[in-house]
Amino acid sequence: MKNLSPAQQRVVTAKIGQPIQVLASAGSGKTRVLTERVRHILGNTKRDGVVAVTFTNKAADEMRARLDDVPEIDERVWITTIHSLAQRIVEQYGNSIGLTGGLHIYERDQDRKTIFLQSLRSNGTDVDAFLNVDNDKERRDRERVIQGYLDKFSAIKRDLLNETEARARHADDENFWSIYSAYKDALIQGGGMDYDDLLVYAHRILLEQPWCAKVYRAKFKHVCVDEAQDLNRAQYELVKAFCGQDVRSLLMVGDPNQMIYGFNGSSRDFLCENFVKDFAPEQFELKENYRCSKAVIKAANAIWPKSQVGLAYALAGRFSIRACKDEQDEATFVCDTVQSLVKQASDPEIEGPIELKKMVVIGRNRFVFQAIEDGLKARAIPYSLKKGERASEPSAVIMRTLDFSIRLRLNPRAWPDGKKLCENLGVEPPESWGDEAVLVRLAEAALSSEVIFPEAQEKVLRWIAAIDVEQPNVPKLCSDIEKLFEHPAKAKSAVLKEIETTLLELKEFKANWVRFKKKGLGESLSAFRNAMALGQLGADQDESGLILSTVHTMKGLERDIVFIVGMCEGVFPDYRAKTAKEIEEETNSAFVAVTRSRRWLFVSYPKVRKMPWGDLRTHAPSRFVKTMERA
């Protein structure tokens, strides 16, 4: 526990066995405190296990690495995200509440939409006629209606509403509960569940089957939750149910000023009010910022006054605000500054050389990056857009066949994946789903299809049909697929490009398997697919170039040099933020963006922006810019 401040030390060494609340501002070392608290518990108890809940898989990996020197770490500590925690509970004990084995996680939004549309068709709604209209604006409006229902379904699950509560919330739609029930039934009929269901089912298991909860509590006597300000009701109640009356050693660490996931039902109230009421924790506060320069702390305190305490020995840092004529002018400013800093090469305030990987450009949303991307490409400045943890669907035809066929092999009832597989192969789908021999039949159909690489498609389908799902030899599978494309020299350029994409995606698929095995996440094909669905296998992004990131994907990360772009009213804060609660969350987002900077901060905004429909519109500087200017 070296190099802990007195305030941090008090948290780490607090009496073991009691609930603890830590309100820790940006840069105050909250993750370090949580990690050292886990170490302290392990060192001062004999066999007690600890569950450490992190917000992202990356944070879980980092905590695991920090505790790697602790004896019996794998036996005594379960470091997990809240969804991975729920998934294990459902996988182990889902049958206790009537769930069938091998339930599929529909993690992709498009799959949820497909299932919803089919549930509407099955109940007599001509949804195709509803969506297939010629007027583009009308079609977009109708698609928003469909998405609106899916958002409401998620909110019901996140808020753990029962039928009476859901009907009351949507009293203006008398058919709402029947539509929602049909969607839930369609998920089960498709042999699956969505992300929100993981939390709902896990919570049900712990409440309705107390013996299941006791199994976990017998081993895990202590629970630590990071980023607790971002818990929603289902997540908070799941933690609470996991602890029950037996586990009182619950540590929750978070910063109310960094709650930025309100769209996901998150609320600071679960950390600041519910936890206090339910557990009466000992309360601590960490306000000293060990990360940021004085200039950055000043900007952060302008957004949330007195939230940060700077250190006397902190570096001076830099902070500037730039008003730009338009988005192209802002892009020029960013590119010029980036190139100038790289050319400068070094500075006493930056450890090591000044290079692109020490910089990030942050925007409120991804749409503000278009002009900047154009500018970076024109100057050949390497960059990448930071992505979330969930993997997207493959783009190569063979890899899509591999992906969908694995899903169908594990769950023959997964008709959304089955239909996508048939579409990918260019074959007619079967009349019904659930036949375990479906992949063999599709392999036969693929040979007479006009799909690219029909012989390769047929072999992949047969290999997946025959694979041992409990002990799959994935390296051999990848090697066999590679051999199918050993001699592409005479192929047309379009085919060569497809082969190149296939081999690149196959390499990543194989790397995912290696990460899966290295992390000890299981042995089976089902465990592998679930790990991918839960974002547990994402490779570290190549960050050798300049990173462009939204505020939400940059949460929990930091860089020496930060640019915040598009800081005008209607963009940051977002134009949809109207209520006091929504504006508060936008303020939190601005605070998070600013405090990602360790040393230098450059804020800019365009006075004129081009709207999606082509018009130019004048924009005022963001209220956050005005606040920082006055500081």
Side-chain angles (χ1 to χ4, degrees), residues 431-485:
E431 293 184 1
S432 61
W433 299 94
D435 182 358
E436 294 188 0
V438 65
L439 290 180
V440 173
R441 279 195 273 280
L442 291 179
E444 294 167 353
L447 282 174
S448 56
S449 170
E450 295 183 2
V451 68
I452 191 170
F453 312 131
E455 293 84 5
Q457 302 278 7
E458 186 256 356
K459 285 185 170 63
V460 169
L461 287 163
R462 289 189 182 277
W463 289 338
I464 298 303
I467 200 168
D468 181 349
V469 294
E470 295 304 322
Q471 294 286 336
N473 191 340
V474 172
K476 182 180 185 303
L477 172 67
C478 293
S479 177
D480 289 342
I481 296 175
E482 284 176 354
K483 290 175 183 176
L484 298 175
F485 302 98

Side-chain angles (χ1 to χ4, degrees), residues 198-374:
L198 277 174
L199 303 173
V200 173
Y201 289 146
H203 181 250
R204 273 188 60 195
I205 290 167
L206 296 178
L207 288 188
E208 296 178 14
Q209 306 295 327
W211 64 272
C212 296
K214 287 180 180 179
V215 171
Y216 292 110
R217 294 175 199 146
K219 179 176 181 179
F220 299 107
K221 309 290 189 184
H222 314 271
V223 177
C224 301
V225 181
D226 197 11
E227 302 286 3
Q229 78 280 344
D230 285 320
L231 293 173
N232 60 33
R233 178 168 296 280
Q235 293 166 344
Y236 174 76
E237 293 295 339
L238 177 58
V239 171
K240 185 178 169 184
F242 190 96
C243 294
Q245 294 300 313
D246 300 326
V247 176
R248 306 311 291 168
S249 182
L250 172 59
L251 168 68
M252 284 205 178
V253 184
D255 179 8
N257 293 335
Q258 294 189 66
M259 198 292 291
I260 62 173
Y261 288 91
F263 61 87
N264 193 38
S266 301
S267 172
R268 58 184 286 170
D269 292 347
F270 297 112
L271 168 65
C272 298
E273 296 180 14
N274 295 59
F275 180 42
V276 174
K277 180 184 67 176
D278 294 334
F279 287 85
E282 185 175 0
Q283 297 173 292
F284 296 88
E285 194 169 14
L286 301 175
K287 297 183 73 171
E288 291 179 309
N289 187 313
Y290 299 96
R291 175 198 301 160
C292 304
S293 65
K294 293 177 180 177
V296 174
I297 291 173
K298 184 179 180 181
N301 277 332
I303 294 173
W304 275 125
K306 300 179 181 180
S307 62
Q308 307 268 285
V309 174
L311 302 177
Y313 56 80
L315 297 171
R318 300 184 193 174
F319 169 58
S320 67
I321 297 173
R322 176 72 170 247
C324 302
K325 182 176 67 175
D326 53 27
E327 290 165 295
Q328 284 66 41
D329 186 37
E330 183 177 43
T332 299
F333 161 69
V334 171
C335 293
D336 284 349
T337 306
V338 166
Q339 289 185 318
S340 175
L341 292 174
V342 171
K343 186 177 180 180
Q344 180 182 330
S346 65
D347 189 277
E349 291 195 332
I350 305 295
E351 184 177 349
I354 299 175
E355 47 194 343
L356 293 176
K357 67 180 183 181
K358 294 182 179 179
M359 307 180 196
V360 63
V361 180
I362 298 177
R364 174 61 181 81
N365 57 57
R366 59 187 175 84
F367 303 110
V368 301
F369 295 132
Q370 185 59 61
I372 293 171
E373 285 193 75
D374 292 342

Side-chain angles (χ1 to χ4, degrees), residues 327-617:
E327 290 165 295
Q328 284 66 41
D329 186 37
E330 183 177 43
T332 299
F333 161 69
V334 171
C335 293
D336 284 349
T337 306
V338 166
Q339 289 185 318
S340 175
L341 292 174
V342 171
K343 186 177 180 180
Q344 180 182 330
S346 65
D347 189 277
E349 291 195 332
I350 305 295
E351 184 177 349
I354 299 175
E355 47 194 343
L356 293 176
K357 67 180 183 181
K358 294 182 179 179
M359 307 180 196
V360 63
V361 180
I362 298 177
R364 174 61 181 81
N365 57 57
R366 59 187 175 84
F367 303 110
V368 301
F369 295 132
Q370 185 59 61
I372 293 171
E373 285 193 75
D374 292 342
L376 294 170
K377 290 174 184 175
R379 303 190 194 203
I381 299 174
Y383 76 94
S384 62
L385 283 165
K386 191 165 187 62
K387 301 175 182 176
E389 293 188 328
R390 296 190 205 176
S392 56
E393 285 187 2
S395 57
V397 177
I398 281 286
M399 294 307 296
R400 288 171 65 82
T401 293
L402 178 64
D403 181 31
F404 300 145
S405 62
I406 286 175
R407 291 164 179 257
L408 201 58
R409 172 75 168 84
L410 293 171
N411 179 10
R413 291 185 293 150
W415 60 265
D417 295 312
K419 285 191 172 182
K420 284 193 285 188
L421 176 58
C422 292
E423 183 180 348
N424 190 61
L425 295 171
V427 302
E428 286 295 317
E431 293 184 1
S432 61
W433 299 94
D435 182 358
E436 294 188 0
V438 65
L439 290 180
V440 173
R441 279 195 273 280
L442 291 179
E444 294 167 353
L447 282 174
S448 56
S449 170
E450 295 183 2
V451 68
I452 191 170
F453 312 131
E455 293 84 5
Q457 302 278 7
E458 186 256 356
K459 285 185 170 63
V460 169
L461 287 163
R462 289 189 182 277
W463 289 338
I464 298 303
I467 200 168
D468 181 349
V469 294
E470 295 304 322
Q471 294 286 336
N473 191 340
V474 172
K476 182 180 185 303
L477 172 67
C478 293
S479 177
D480 289 342
I481 296 175
E482 284 176 354
K483 290 175 183 176
L484 298 175
F485 302 98
E486 283 183 330
H487 306 291
K490 295 181 181 180
K492 296 180 181 179
S493 58
V495 174
L496 286 173
K497 183 64 177 175
E498 180 68 20
I499 292 174
E500 178 186 4
T501 303
T502 298
L503 294 176
L504 285 173
E505 292 184 347
L506 183 64
K507 182 179 179 182
E508 180 56 28
F509 179 82
K510 185 176 180 180
N512 280 336
W513 175 259
V514 172
R515 285 190 285 270
F516 169 72
K517 297 292 286 183
K518 186 176 180 181
K519 288 185 173 185
L521 297 173
E523 300 287 337
S524 68
L525 194 62
S526 177
F528 177 49
R529 209 209 73 76
N530 281 336
M532 287 195 289
L534 292 167
Q536 295 175 310
L537 306 180
D540 289 337
Q541 188 173 345
D542 179 10
E543 298 183 350
S544 56
L546 182 68
I547 295 296
L548 308 184
S549 174
T550 65
V551 179
H552 291 86
T553 53
M554 197 61 193
K555 179 77 181 292
L557 305 175
E558 56 195 59
R559 287 292 184 277
D560 285 341
I561 303 166
V562 170
F563 296 82
I564 306 178
V565 299
M567 285 286 280
C568 47
E569 283 293 303
V571 177
F572 206 160
D574 187 271
Y575 69 95
R576 291 165 293 190
K578 304 294 184 183
T579 67
K581 184 177 180 181
E582 290 167 341
I583 292 298
E584 179 180 315
E585 187 167 338
E586 291 295 305
T587 305
N588 289 349
S589 293
F591 180 79
V592 168
V594 166
T595 54
R596 297 314 91 198
S597 173
R598 286 193 288 247
R599 300 290 180 264
W600 301 343
L601 177 64
F602 301 92
V603 174
S604 60
Y605 63 93
K607 295 179 180 178
V608 174
R609 291 183 65 244
K610 186 175 183 179
M611 307 309 290
W613 51 88
D615 292 350
L616 295 177
R617 181 168 293 182

